[in-house]
Amino acid sequence: MTTISLRRLADGLIIVESQIYDANCDSIFRKLNLALDTAASLTTIRSDVLCSLNYDIFNPINTLNIITGNGYMDMGCIKLSMLTVFGCSFKNVRVGIIELTKEEYIDGVLGQNILSMFDYTVRNSNNTMEIERIKNQETTITP
């Protein structure tokens, strides 16, 4: 099990640093700040971040009707070429496309489609997370 230090914002959000690769899985990538959300079923990423890496957000692979704190909404989904989280890389990850203003301080939300690939414990007392990759899970995530 690996212990990582957590970055916690003033409002209590836990930020997980990750990397997203461009649509062609070239060596072009961008670092992301994703909010850890154990209640979210799907990882979501800002539309402007996806566009900057040549993802076609206007032709989603499917649309989900999801429940948020503000009610129901339709959310388009795309597949990422690769996402790296906690030092593990995942190919063909389905993520939701979200709209956030550029003033927002996160790039998206890390949800259960990725978190379920790990055993983890958040230690609020010392701002750490103990995390271990579940060995019997596949590296490639498909919807």
Side-chain angles (χ1 to χ4, degrees):
M1 194 161 281
T2 302
T3 301
I4 60 171
S5 294
L6 295 175
R7 187 170 135 222
R8 191 178 298 265
L9 300 179
D11 62 4
L13 280 179
I14 296 171
I15 300 299
V16 175
E17 293 181 7
S18 59
Q19 293 178 343
I20 180 178
Y21 288 78
D22 76 318
N24 299 317
C25 203
D26 295 330
S27 58
I28 301 168
F29 68 90
R30 179 174 166 172
K31 291 184 180 181
L32 298 178
N33 290 317
L34 300 177
L36 179 70
D37 188 347
T38 59
S41 58
L42 186 65
T43 297
T44 58
I45 299 178
R46 299 165 62 116
S47 60
D48 62 317
V49 170
L50 294 169
C51 285
S52 73
L53 292 168
N54 299 315
Y55 287 97
D56 184 3
I57 65 167
F58 301 106
N59 293 301
I61 58 172
N62 67 321
T63 302
L64 298 176
N65 187 263
I66 62 167
I67 303 170
T68 71
N70 296 325
Y72 289 92
M73 68 177 270
D74 288 330
M75 179 173 59
C77 298
I78 64 165
K79 280 190 181 179
L80 298 182
S81 61
M82 188 160 54
L83 176 70
T84 301
V85 180
F86 304 126
C88 297
S89 294
F90 300 96
K91 294 181 179 179
N92 299 317
V93 180
R94 183 175 66 154
V95 298
I97 305 164
I98 59 170
E99 299 296 328
L100 294 173
T101 64
K102 292 188 179 190
E103 291 77 32
E104 296 287 341
Y105 45 86
I106 62 170
D107 297 311
V109 171
L110 182 61
Q112 284 298 322
N113 65 319
I114 299 293
L115 290 171
S116 66
M117 306 300 271
F118 299 91
D119 282 334
Y120 58 92
T121 303
V122 175
R123 303 261 182 228
N124 290 313
S125 60
N126 61 1
N127 276 335
T128 61
M129 183 175 194
E130 294 175 356
I131 191 154
E132 182 177 22
R133 178 91 161 95
I134 299 173
K135 302 291 186 215
N136 62 353
Q137 297 282 354
E138 293 293 322
T139 300
T140 300
I141 301 172
T142 55

